[in-house]
Amino acid sequence: MPRDDTHSIGAPRKNPDSFDALVVGAGFSGLYQLLCLRDRLGLSVRLLEAGDGVGGTWYWNRYPGARCDSESHSYAYYFSDQLLQEWTWSERYPEQPEILRYLNYVTDRFDLRRDIRFGARVNSACYDAAANRWQVTTEAGERYDAKFLITAVGCLSSANIPNIPGLDRFAGDWYHTGQWPHRGVDFTGKGVGMIGTGSTGIQAAPAIAQAAAHLTVFQRTANYSIPARNAPLTAQFKRWAKANAAELRGVMHATPNGHPFVICDRSAHDVTPEERQAIYEAAWEKGGLQFRAAFRDLLVDKAANDTAAEFIRQKIRAVVKDPATAAKLADIDHPFATKRPPIDTGYFETFNRANVTLVDVRATPIECITRDGIQTRDGTEHKLDVIVFATGFDAMTGPLLRMNIYGRDGFALSEAWQAGPRTYLGLQVAGFPNLFTITGPGSPSVLCNMPVAIEQHVEWITACIAHLRERGFERIEAAPDAVDRWVAHVNGAANATLLPQAKHSWYLGANVPGKPRVFMPYAGGMARYRETCAAVALNGYEGFTLSF
């Protein structure tokens, strides 16, 4: 088949809206992908971003208390030693404004802004097989085409607003935490109702309670949470992190979750109850996600997990003064860390405030939203001025499906994923040539420190496109049999853990009515996944079909 030199990689562009590659999304993923394709491979690239600035998740999520749950020295790009030395974080867990400043710094540091089109929300992407081009349109009617389409839309960017009857008649204001007004929200003197007690609600509740006249928290699912023990970084730690960047990078690349700590190689059954209690106490005082690393078998052995779960329940009962409220908060129906395990700053303590009420919506479900508030099934109307939906996202698949992607012969991604997402390595979908999905379903993504997963995916995609370019290949596509094998492997990896036991987890899509119940991220660990991807590339991109 003759090559189409008009559109070959690196060829001069005749149409100003025609590029070698289009990248969608200007968060951690998209910015690094733009840098790699443009500066390392010399391709013409346009990045399309729905918002008016860079930041991705951290552009949209500006709710009170928004903060990263990865430690700042690990929540950063590690591809540039110079960048690591230039930037200094201020806190153990950085707040949203600081992360946004960091991503703007990176954008300007590498002159990325000139190749980003802001205010460009993609509403369709169609593959033209005859031209081997992706045709992309935006809500504003702009049209682009490119040989390669790389989605960097994030796993948590499609807001999930529950369909509760009566929202349209509510006389007050309502907000979703993932679509927070940039001007902020003043809760002073107001009655606020917050629906949702996942990681976002756990961050937002203490901040809202400090400002509002009254906060009513509507809890469907009680949740574990570990204190963050956040604090300003000492000058000594800042120097240590910069001096040991290479070692930290090595640890993050070698561990299952991509964090800068190693899981202890001991079972919860190897120690006495007194020793185990002391280990948990030390981890609780240290705070943060490292609590999960106290024992190696917490996610694979239910009896081991029960020891951690009961320890945290005891802490909740000790912190929360009202026994009835404590009982509701400690009535957790899933193993520890089988849902995304939050970390917090004063979450359980918030329920000791006189201006905070907890409503158990399993016992008394929300019936409707009225003009003046929220009514539960027992007939109680909770009077509210503001409703905050901390109800999360249509995770992992939602951001991709809402782009209306059509592959070969008009095959819709929504049809391909009707029974749940099917990918090879979380990178490609059969029937969609030259489409890459950064941290797509079937990759470690949300089970990992995200920048680590992002860098690995971006660098793999960049090397893959370089391979195609060097050998004259025009397209690459996941083979259907490879997709079948990978989906089976992803399911097997999940079932080897306790993760699927949280039946209402967004890992399974259970927070979105009608969404297929499929465990979406890869639970086999980031280190193992990295080795698999490297082996696939080394074996001539085994499992992919490359063609001229």
Side-chain angles (χ1 to χ4, degrees):
M1 179 178 177
R3 291 187 60 170
D4 178 1
D5 289 328
T6 303
H7 296 302
S8 61
I9 302 175
R13 288 184 285 115
K14 294 182 178 180
N15 185 334
D17 295 323
S18 184
F19 299 87
D20 293 326
L22 288 171
V23 179
V24 183
F28 268 94
S29 302
L31 295 174
Y32 188 35
Q33 188 67 82
L34 168 59
L35 172 67
C36 287
L37 294 181
R38 188 193 71 182
D39 294 1
R40 296 183 187 176
L41 298 191
L43 305 190
S44 61
V45 188
R46 176 58 52 90
L47 191 157
L48 304 177
E49 166 55 46
D52 293 326
V54 302
T57 293
W58 302 105
Y59 175 85
W60 300 104
N61 285 264
R62 299 169 183 243
Y63 59 86
R67 188 182 296 277
C68 185
D69 59 7
S70 293
E71 294 186 75
S72 58
H73 67 289
S74 69
Y75 198 75
Y77 292 116
Y78 267 72
F79 68 84
S80 167
D81 289 331
Q82 190 172 358
L83 178 61
L84 284 168
Q85 299 304 316
E86 290 172 357
W87 182 266
T88 301
W89 295 100
S90 67
E91 293 182 282
R92 183 182 181 188
Y93 295 102
E95 280 190 298
Q96 177 270 338
E98 186 170 18
I99 301 171
L100 193 59
R101 287 196 299 273
Y102 171 72
L103 290 171
N104 273 282
Y105 176 82
V106 171
T107 300
D108 295 330
R109 168 73 170 72
F110 294 100
D111 191 23
L112 301 178
R113 212 174 295 273
R114 62 184 165 91
D115 291 305
I116 302 174
R117 177 68 171 172
F118 294 108
R121 183 181 295 279
V122 172
N123 66 357
S124 73
C126 304
Y127 178 67
D128 180 347
N132 189 33
R133 308 286 289 178
W134 279 93
Q135 309 291 336
V136 175
T137 61
T138 69
E139 285 184 351
E142 297 172 322
R143 304 178 69 87
Y144 300 88
D145 74 87
K147 177 171 289 184
F148 296 100
L149 176 62
I150 299 103
T151 64
V153 291
C155 302
L156 302 173
S157 59
S158 183
N160 174 41
I161 300 172
N163 185 22
I164 302 174
L167 180 59
D168 57 343
R169 66 174 179 244
F170 181 55
D173 298 317
W174 66 268
Y175 308 94
H176 188 281
T177 51
Q179 299 174 338
W180 205 255
H182 288 198
R183 67 180 183 280
V185 178
D186 184 3
F187 294 111
T188 305
K190 295 182 178 179
V192 181
M194 187 184 77
I195 300 174
T197 53
S199 56
T200 297
I202 283 172
Q203 287 188 336
I208 294 174
Q210 289 177 13
H214 193 90
L215 171 64
T216 304
V217 177
F218 295 86
Q219 173 187 275
R220 180 192 66 173
T221 305
N223 220 331
Y224 303 97
S225 187
I226 309 296
R229 310 295 185 199
N230 187 49
L233 296 176
T234 64
Q236 181 183 9
F237 182 86
K238 292 175 185 178
R239 289 193 298 269
W240 176 86
K242 291 180 185 296
N244 292 276
E247 181 182 347
L248 287 166
R249 183 190 292 113
V251 172
M252 290 189 290
H253 285 190
T255 55
N257 55 26
H259 286 286
F261 53 79
V262 177
I263 297 172
C264 291
D265 188 20
R266 63 189 171 197
S267 166
H269 306 302
D270 288 343
V271 296
T272 67
E274 294 76 18
E275 290 170 332
R276 190 167 53 235
Q277 182 76 12
I279 289 168
Y280 284 141
E281 288 286 358
W284 185 265
E285 288 306 310
K286 185 171 185 178
L289 293 178
Q290 196 167 347
F291 185 92
R292 294 179 298 173
F295 299 102
R296 66 170 181 265
D297 50 356
L298 294 185
L299 269 180
V300 295
D301 183 295
K302 180 63 165 56
N305 190 285
D306 286 345
T307 65
E310 183 53 32
F311 175 86
I312 298 171
R313 290 191 185 98
Q314 289 174 357
K315 287 294 186 183
I316 296 170
R317 298 184 193 107
V319 168
V320 180
K321 295 176 182 177
D322 176 58
T325 301
K328 294 175 186 177
L329 290 166
D331 186 21
I332 305 171
D333 65 357
H334 56 280
F336 168 63
T338 54
K339 297 180 69 175
R340 186 175 179 90
I343 62 174
D344 71 89
T345 300
Y347 174 66
F348 295 115
E349 291 84 349
T350 295
F351 293 95
N352 293 329
R353 296 178 63 105
N355 70 328
V356 176
T357 303
L358 179 67
V359 176
D360 179 359
V361 297
R362 282 199 173 170
T364 55
I366 293 174
E367 193 167 71
C368 65
I369 295 174
T370 67
R371 183 184 182 279
D372 299 316
I374 292 176
Q375 182 171 311
T376 49
R377 191 169 293 174
D378 61 356
T380 303
E381 183 182 32
H382 301 269
K383 301 284 188 179
L384 303 169
D385 302 302
V386 179
I387 298 174
V388 174
F389 291 101
T391 47
F393 302 88
D394 183 354
M396 302 196 74
T397 56
L400 292 164
L401 293 175
R402 75 176 182 182
M403 288 171 59
N404 298 307
I405 300 173
Y406 295 86
R408 187 188 293 106
D409 302 322
F411 186 39
L413 185 63
S414 59
E415 184 179 352
W417 287 1
Q418 190 171 11
R422 295 176 55 79
T423 73
Y424 182 39
L425 301 174
L427 283 161
Q428 277 209 321
V429 183
F432 296 78
N434 292 352
L435 170 69
F436 295 96
T437 54
I438 301 176
T439 63
S443 71
S445 60
V446 293
L447 298 180
C448 180
N449 179 24
M450 285 301 295
V452 174
I454 286 167
E455 285 193 336
Q456 184 269 334
H457 258 199
V458 168
E459 288 164 5
W460 192 96
I461 292 167
T462 302
C464 178
I465 292 176
H467 176 86
L468 301 178
R469 184 184 189 189
E470 291 163 4
R471 288 159 177 79
F473 290 110
E474 288 293 313
R475 61 186 63 80
I476 182 170
E477 178 185 347
D481 61 333
V483 171
D484 290 341
R485 290 193 301 271
W486 185 252
V487 170
H489 179 60
V490 170
N491 288 333
N495 290 331
T497 73
L498 303 176
L499 288 163
Q501 293 191 20
K503 299 300 182 184
H504 39 67
S505 168
W506 58 258
Y507 292 157
L508 288 159
N511 63 322
V512 179
K515 187 170 180 174
R517 299 296 186 263
V518 177
F519 195 84
M520 293 181 285
Y522 175 61
M526 187 65 218
R528 181 181 179 187
Y529 176 82
R530 182 188 297 276
E531 292 173 358
T532 300
C533 289
V536 165
L538 190 62
N539 292 328
Y541 292 89
E542 182 180 23
F544 294 93
T545 300
L546 285 65
S547 57
F548 294 99

